[in-house]
Amino acid sequence: MLQKKSKITTLDVFVLLALLGALVYVVYQVKVKLNYNWQWGIIPQYLFRYDAESGKWVSNYLIHGLLTTLRLSFWGTLLATILGTVMGLLRVSKSLFHKMLARSYVELMRNLPPLVIIFIFYFFISDQIMPIIGLDDFLRSSSAGTQRLFETLFSPPQFASAFISALFTLAIFEGAYITEIVRAGIESVEKGQWEASHALGLSKYHSMRHIILPQAMQRLLPALAGQFISLIKDSAIVSVISIQELSYQGTQLMASTYLTIEIWITITALYLVMTLTFSLGVGKLEAYMAKSQA
Amino acid sequence: MQEKKLGDYIVTVEKINKTFPNGVCALREFSTRIRRREVVVIIGPSGSGKSTFLRCLNGLEEIDSGSIVIDGIPLDENKKNRWEIRKEVGMVFQSFNLFPHKTVLANITLAPRLVRKKSNDEAAEMAMDLLRKVNIPEKAESYPSQLSGGQQQRVAIARALAMHPKVMMFDEATSALDPEMIGEVLDVMKNLAEEGMTMIVVTHEMGFAREVSDRVVFMEDGYIVEEGTAEHFFTNPQKERTKLFLSQIL
Ligand SMILES: Nc1ncnc2c1ncn2[C@@H]1O[C@H](COP(=O)(O)OP(=O)(O)OP(=O)(O)O)[C@@H](O)[C@H]1O
Ligand SMILES: [Mg+2]
């Protein structure tokens, strides 16, 4: 593929100027018309605060929220990938029942408002399933080391049930998109690969597992990474069920400090830092994959 | 080649018909029998059903009617028989179809390990023997994309041989190769024929047909138009259609 050097055209300059103008206008409105009293000085302490007891700097609400968002996104993507792979396999199966099952799942998830899905699944999982698993009891009776490990990987033990329920809810939601990605990946593997594999006497299962799926997954890697970024954004929705991720922390802080604009600008910046960093990474990954494919 | 003794019939094809869902009829009442150690070359114009015939023999395509029996195993509804036949019949494709995510060695050892339940060491040892046979033992740890077309096709042949097939099929194995690489692949195929492998070879390489084949089959529109020794085809073809085709490719 030919890489065109991007040139800045008159139109670009015009658009940039318009954006700049809009920004100036907003700042002017806030500053002069609203007579808004900026108090940026208060914000940093919500990122890191000085702990007098231990004499150390420790992370505070916003960083906690950011980490929770990252944990939710990471485990959520992982779970969604597993679910999406299973459903994707059903989607390309010859059996009509399998196909319908996977198709119904995908259509249901994609045609309901995420908020509705979150409420339905969250209450179902946390009410019906979590007590059966008995995670809370397990954590309460487990050693301090296990509890700390759980806190590092997932969430503080006292919120375990809610966190895990939210995690599964997000995974079920996100899994529908990954199902379609996996299906596309499997279908993108050349027919010749199936034929060579069958001609060697490999069963359908072995062909899928050793020949088709590994190639599909390799091609899917960038798309999956993209889905991870989506989940960083989409996970904000679980703030409605009181999971203390970044958006939730923002709402809470706003309610207690009334620094609406400062806080939301900070939250915006934090989300952008996460998503843009990972986007850059995905771009690199894509370029790398494209090179290794050639 | 003269003193070569052919064995009993290993492939029996009787009156098979194949029509694709789009209505194209690729094989019509096609019958033939192939003996052990026989090398059959199939020639014919594009679209005459040569590939379809090979693909039916190992069940990559299902036939509509007729019967195929290979080494005593009927290719029928019974799925087990189909897998059994695929183990016994090796296939080499025009486009190689190597597994790009696996090394050359892994390409060759995969099926013996999974299907023949060979141990890793045993499979690897056999793979190295086969790579020596096709003259590229030094490429064992390479990936297919790092090889030339001729090398890839030789790996594909080694991969098929690793299953110890009783019959080898080649579908235009040299058609996708640059001219300077055709020879190295044909040499491997010739050696195989000399070792007594039963081979069904779809090719446009008339030199190969003349030198190696026991029988040449000329087909068109899903029929066998004429068959005989290579000698017969080059000196004394009977049918007008055959003469026309040969005059075009020779
Ligand atoms: N999967 C398919 N679906 C529909 N039609 C097909 C399919 N495969 C082959 N055909 C048709 O069947 C006929 C025979 O095809 P086949 O590939 O067997 O010919 P061939 O002799 O191998 O030709 P070539 O020399 O071009 O490889 C052709 O008309 C082809 O278009
Ligand atoms: Mg063909």
Side-chain angles (χ1 to χ4, degrees):
Chain A
M1 223 189 341
L2 275 176
Q3 279 262 328
K4 262 201 254 162
K5 261 249 156 70
S6 44
K7 265 194 226 132
I8 297 174
T9 64
T10 336
L11 186 66
D12 293 331
V13 173
F14 183 75
V15 170
L16 275 176
L17 283 179
L19 281 175
L20 208 66
L23 192 69
V24 169
Y25 176 74
V26 169
V27 171
Y28 172 81
Q29 284 286 323
V30 170
K31 185 83 194 148
V32 177
K33 293 276 178 63
L34 271 178
N35 200 6
Y36 192 84
N37 181 17
W38 294 102
Q39 296 185 40
W40 279 106
I42 301 179
I43 297 296
Q45 64 175 316
Y46 293 121
L47 292 168
F48 295 98
R49 71 185 167 82
Y50 187 74
D51 187 35
E53 253 173 68
S54 62
K56 276 192 230 151
W57 285 91
V58 292
S59 53
N60 207 354
Y61 300 120
L62 290 179
I63 296 295
H64 291 165
L66 182 127
L67 289 176
T68 301
T69 292
L70 281 177
R71 287 186 191 111
L72 273 177
S73 311
F74 176 77
W75 294 113
T77 309
L78 202 72
L79 273 178
T81 303
I82 296 169
L83 181 65
T85 305
V86 172
M87 286 294 172
L89 285 172
L90 293 183
R91 196 87 163 72
V92 298
S93 148
K94 276 229 172 81
S95 139
L96 189 65
F97 172 69
H98 289 166
K99 262 197 260 197
M100 276 190 9
L101 188 74
R103 184 77 197 268
S104 314
Y105 163 65
V106 170
E107 294 302 330
L108 202 64
M109 290 303 136
R110 293 210 296 198
N111 290 296
L112 280 175
L115 200 59
V116 173
I117 298 173
I118 298 286
F119 277 126
I120 293 176
F121 277 92
Y122 178 74
F123 289 116
F124 178 70
I125 295 174
S126 65
D127 254 33
Q128 306 295 319
I129 302 199
M130 290 316 285
I132 301 173
I133 301 174
L135 182 68
D136 283 332
D137 294 339
F138 167 77
L139 281 172
R140 227 172 287 133
S141 60
S142 61
S143 71
T146 315
Q147 291 196 5
R148 215 167 322 115
L149 181 70
F150 189 85
E151 181 159 1
T152 316
L153 292 177
F154 302 101
S155 78
Q158 65 269 32
F159 303 128
S161 218
F163 180 89
I164 299 291
S165 305
L167 189 61
F168 274 91
T169 309
L170 281 176
I172 289 169
F173 168 66
E174 208 71 11
Y177 294 87
I178 296 189
T179 300
E180 287 303 285
I181 294 177
V182 169
R183 180 184 63 87
I186 290 173
E187 285 172 355
S188 78
V189 177
E190 299 75 23
K191 228 174 107 223
Q193 293 289 308
W194 279 107
E195 295 185 344
S197 171
H198 282 162
L200 284 167
L202 263 65
S203 65
K204 249 194 204 153
Y205 168 77
H206 278 148
S207 305
M208 184 57 101
R209 168 144 179 247
H210 296 277
I211 308 301
I212 308 299
L213 208 51
Q215 292 185 61
M217 282 304 178
Q218 217 173 15
R219 292 174 202 192
L220 293 185
L221 221 51
L224 285 180
Q227 215 53 40
F228 171 70
I229 295 172
S230 286
L231 200 50
I232 291 180
K233 295 180 290 169
D234 295 347
S235 64
I237 203 169
V238 297
S239 60
V240 300
I241 45 178
S242 301
I243 302 301
Q244 306 188 340
E245 46 68 69
L246 191 51
S247 296
Y248 178 86
Q249 300 289 26
T251 336
Q252 295 294 304
L253 274 185
M254 196 186 65
S256 59
T257 62
Y258 297 107
L259 298 177
T260 317
I261 302 182
E262 289 91 334
I263 286 173
W264 285 110
I265 289 178
T266 311
I267 301 279
T268 307
L270 288 175
Y271 272 116
L272 276 178
V273 166
M274 285 192 281
T275 49
L276 291 181
T277 311
F278 286 114
S279 288
L280 266 171
V282 173
K284 286 253 158 63
L285 184 68
E286 266 169 349
Y288 173 77
M289 302 285 290
K291 240 203 308 202
S292 68
Q293 288 276 310
Chain B
M1 299 302 315
Q2 245 54 29
E3 64 272 49
K4 181 160 141 187
K5 284 261 283 286
L6 300 181
D8 57 331
Y9 291 110
I10 185 168
V11 177
T12 311
V13 176
E14 259 171 71
K15 296 194 171 169
I16 58 171
N17 285 286
K18 172 71 191 174
T19 305
F20 285 103
N22 63 359
V24 174
C25 187
L27 293 172
R28 304 165 202 261
E29 300 286 303
F30 190 100
S31 302
T32 190
R33 289 195 292 179
I34 296 166
R35 292 176 182 276
R36 283 182 209 276
R37 291 190 289 283
E38 189 173 18
V39 176
V40 177
V41 163
I42 301 181
I43 57 175
S46 178
S48 56
K50 307 180 295 289
S51 300
T52 306
F53 172 57
L54 294 190
R55 296 161 56 81
C56 285
L57 280 187
N58 68 354
L60 285 182
E61 299 287 357
E62 267 175 65
I63 53 175
D64 302 330
S65 62
S67 80
I68 295 174
V69 180
I70 295 179
D71 202 23
I73 309 164
L75 180 63
D76 52 21
E77 252 73 292
N78 189 338
K79 283 209 178 110
K80 245 184 113 198
N81 285 348
R82 189 189 312 172
W83 293 115
E84 219 36 60
I85 283 179
R86 283 178 179 168
K87 285 194 227 170
E88 308 303 338
V89 179
M91 184 160 189
V92 175
F93 300 85
Q94 176 174 352
S95 49
F96 326 136
N97 295 349
L98 291 178
F99 307 133
H101 61 302
K102 292 190 176 292
T103 63
V104 164
L105 196 73
N107 261 277
I108 301 175
T109 56
L110 186 73
R113 285 195 294 115
L114 293 177
V115 183
R116 296 257 191 234
K117 310 284 177 217
K118 291 248 166 70
S119 73
N120 284 356
D121 292 345
E122 205 183 345
E125 203 173 308
M126 181 185 63
M128 286 313 297
D129 283 343
L130 286 168
L131 281 175
R132 274 188 283 276
K133 192 162 156 174
V134 299
N135 295 321
I136 35 172
E138 72 281 3
K139 298 292 185 191
E141 296 305 325
S142 305
Y143 282 88
S145 59
Q146 299 167 317
L147 306 184
S148 73
Q151 291 170 331
Q152 289 191 46
Q153 194 59 298
R154 284 184 280 155
V155 172
I157 294 174
R159 179 177 71 175
L161 290 174
M163 285 296 287
H164 296 304
K166 297 191 173 119
V167 180
M168 279 287 282
M169 310 195 290
F170 297 83
D171 191 359
E172 307 204 25
T174 55
S175 297
L177 298 178
D178 293 335
E180 72 271 17
M181 294 174 187
I182 292 176
E184 64 197 40
V185 173
L186 288 180
D187 284 343
V188 169
M189 290 166 66
K190 274 178 209 161
N191 287 339
L192 210 54
E194 270 158 27
E195 286 171 14
M197 176 62 81
T198 309
M199 291 165 64
I200 310 173
V201 183
V202 172
T203 185
H204 299 301
E205 296 293 329
M206 289 305 134
F208 179 85
R210 192 194 298 257
E211 225 181 298
V212 183
S213 76
D214 299 294
R215 175 157 54 114
V216 177
V217 172
F218 171 58
M219 63 185 290
E220 183 167 50
D221 278 339
Y223 291 104
I224 295 182
V225 175
E226 188 166 355
E227 60 182 321
T229 60
E231 199 54 31
H232 162 87
F233 267 84
F234 293 119
T235 56
N236 186 25
Q238 297 298 304
K239 301 266 171 45
E240 280 312 310
R241 190 63 198 87
T242 316
K243 289 178 194 166
L244 182 64
F245 177 74
L246 287 172
S247 71
Q248 279 163 355
I249 61 163
L250 286 179

